[in-house]
Amino acid sequence: QVQLVESGGGLVQAGGSLRLSCAASGRTFSSYFMGWFRQAPGKEREFVAGISGSGGSTYYADSVKGRFTISRDNAKNTVYLQMNSLKPEDTAVYYCAADLRPQLLNGYWGQGTQVTVSS
């Protein structure tokens, strides 16, 4: 069982930055792929970024490449999402995910944190 708790969301102006954090419980954190998804009002949940257990491999949605950076600290059981050059279309609830597979679709989810980008 893995429990995930996100933090760091908020309101920011377009062009600004935010860093999301996701703290995970459990002693096998480094065994899991970790990632971030988001869901905007009226839209389906979409993949944003993922990272391998060691942190050596990362992957991103095209819409955030070059602006967002995912990282992890296995000593702190925490994964981060640094979001720069934010756009109004980045507004969504952001969810942390943990899975033994890179697709991140069938594992554990956090409760979500709201990110709102004003124009």
Side-chain angles (χ1 to χ4, degrees), residues 4-5 14 24 33 36 40 48-51 53-54 57 59 61 65 73 81 87-89 100 102 110 116 118-119:
L4 304 172
V5 178
F33 288 87
W36 292 92
V48 174
I51 188 167
S54 67
S57 177
Y59 40 109
K65 279 181 183 177
D73 185 338
L81 185 68
K87 305 175 181 179
E89 51 263 44
L100 294 175
T116 302
S118 63
S119 58

Side-chain angles (χ1 to χ4, degrees), residues 2-116:
V2 177
Q3 292 184 326
L4 304 172
V5 178
E6 302 99 332
S7 61
L11 174 64
V12 63
Q13 288 188 332
S17 298
L18 279 176
R19 188 176 82 154
L20 305 182
S21 299
C22 173
S25 65
R27 294 176 291 178
T28 59
F29 179 71
S30 61
S31 299
Y32 286 85
F33 288 87
M34 299 295 297
W36 292 92
F37 288 71
R38 66 187 182 187
Q39 187 167 19
K43 295 187 177 181
E44 294 186 352
R45 189 174 297 189
E46 64 175 1
F47 169 77
V48 174
I51 188 167
S52 62
S54 67
S57 177
T58 58
Y59 40 109
Y60 298 91
D62 288 343
S63 58
V64 306
K65 279 181 183 177
R67 299 188 299 121
F68 291 10
T69 302
I70 189 170
S71 61
R72 65 191 296 160
D73 185 338
N74 286 345
K76 296 182 178 180
N77 279 18
T78 301
V79 64
Y80 305 97
L81 185 68
Q82 178 67 44
M83 305 185 294
N84 298 329
S85 302
L86 282 161
K87 305 175 181 179
E89 51 263 44
D90 295 317
T91 295
V93 177
Y94 283 70
Y95 297 91
C96 179
D99 200 340
L100 294 175
R101 297 184 177 183
Q103 291 82 5
L104 296 163
L105 297 176
N106 297 305
Y108 302 94
W109 295 90
Q111 82 289 349
T113 185
Q114 176 70 47
V115 172
T116 302

